[in-house]
Amino acid sequence: MIRFENVYKEYPGDNEALHDVDLHIKRGEFVFVLGPSGAGKSTFLKLILREESPTRGHVWVDGVDLADLKEKQIPYLRRKIGVVFQDFRLIPTMTVYDNVAFALRVTDVSEDRIRERVPIVLKLVGLTHKADAYPPTLSGGEQQRVAVGRALAHSPELLIADEPTGNVDPAMSLEMMKLLVAANNVGATVVVVTHEQDMARRMGKRIILLEEGRVVTDGKPGQGKGGARG
Ligand code: ADP
């Protein structure tokens, strides 16, 4: 699903954000990209979303070398990808239903298809009973469900969560992880970017550990050599 081949990214002013990153995330995997602030995590995501391009090396998403993508093809790439943001970015003046539907409306999906799809998504994230509620009236846990539902609205092959537990308490973090696992179970490849090592390690999934732009370990916790420490 995602392939980085000897990727380097330098920003102007000699700021090296990624150094020789070489990895493969297979379709259907659930992966953490873990690292402290400044390790290169956001840059890694920006390369996948084609918000930035590598200085050297190649990035493939779903078999396409992003260097070959024309400007007008970028929206098609992004439609394959659902993103859950740290601050959720819900629209407070729209109902839960419309927050999810909105993600489809902006990509010209027919109203018939929207009426079919939104209830499926709301059921998946356990929010059927809150379809008519507005985000400010929801609990934090419910708001994060809306954020995940919206990211899943267009059945993305790839779901990216960018520090999804950065602003929430431990109970909600666990809840968020369960939602992402549920999305993975229905077929999405899931990439979670985080600096929270304890949470990443507890999940027992593959961890790509970045430090100063380099992949220092890559594997499941406790796999010894090559695996993430701890
Ligand atoms: P993280 O998301 O892990 O905190 P980033 O990818 O944001 O890491 O940053 C990695 C390094 O690249 C840092 O040293 C950061 O200062 C630098 N960097 C990130 N974005 C830019 C930019 N637009 N211009 C210059 N340097 C940048």
Side-chain angles (χ1 to χ4, degrees):
M1 186 76 218
I2 299 171
R3 183 163 174 76
F4 275 57
E5 188 185 71
N6 306 114
V7 171
Y8 291 75
K9 177 64 185 177
E10 258 172 49
Y11 291 108
D14 246 2
N15 271 320
E16 191 183 56
L18 291 178
H19 182 97
D20 198 15
V21 173
D22 200 56
L23 56 84
H24 187 192
I25 297 172
K26 293 200 191 81
R27 195 172 290 279
E29 267 197 278
F30 189 120
V31 179
F32 286 95
V33 175
L34 174 69
S37 174
K41 305 181 298 297
S42 307
T43 301
F44 182 84
L45 288 187
K46 284 178 182 163
L47 292 175
I48 293 170
L49 292 163
R50 237 294 215 133
E51 288 173 14
E52 293 284 354
S53 295
T55 312
R56 273 162 66 191
H58 290 266
V59 176
W60 280 268
V61 175
D62 201 18
V64 177
D65 182 345
L66 301 190
D68 295 336
L69 270 195
K70 306 216 166 38
E71 223 32 56
K72 62 172 191 237
Q73 295 172 309
I74 294 176
Y76 296 98
L77 165 74
R78 298 199 182 137
R79 266 172 229 175
K80 288 183 196 170
I81 307 175
V83 185
V84 179
F85 300 98
Q86 178 172 20
D87 53 5
F88 305 152
R89 302 193 192 171
L90 304 179
I91 301 167
T93 54
M94 281 186 189
T95 63
V96 167
Y97 182 98
D98 283 326
N99 265 276
V100 175
F102 183 68
L104 296 169
R105 292 195 175 114
V106 294
T107 58
D108 294 334
V109 175
S110 74
E111 282 300 318
D112 280 353
R113 175 80 188 117
I114 291 174
R115 273 193 292 275
E116 199 176 271
R117 179 71 189 154
V118 176
I120 294 173
V121 171
L122 292 180
K123 190 164 177 221
L124 181 71
V125 297
L127 278 180
T128 305
H129 61 299
K130 291 285 181 179
D132 297 328
Y134 289 85
T137 70
L138 300 177
S139 71
E142 289 164 342
Q143 290 184 26
Q144 72 183 11
R145 284 165 181 272
V146 184
V148 174
R150 190 188 47 193
L152 290 174
H154 54 290
S155 310
E157 289 162 61
L158 175 61
L159 180 64
I160 288 177
D162 187 5
E163 297 279 6
T165 58
N167 284 332
V168 304
D169 63 38
M172 264 175 73
S173 290
L174 185 63
E175 184 73 8
M176 172 60 88
M177 288 303 125
K178 285 186 184 160
L179 286 168
L180 297 175
V181 168
N184 183 237
N185 287 340
V186 296
T189 306
V190 176
V191 176
V192 184
V193 167
T194 184
H195 65 275
E196 294 180 80
Q197 354 185 355
D198 291 346
M199 183 195 65
R201 298 219 154 98
R202 266 201 305 274
M203 296 294 292
K205 307 279 189 191
R206 176 179 171 193
I207 299 174
I208 297 168
L209 179 62
L210 282 179
E211 277 172 15
E212 297 181 355
R214 293 160 203 253
V215 175
V216 291
T217 61
D218 183 353
K220 291 194 176 169
Q223 273 188 341
K225 192 169 176 291
R229 282 170 238 146

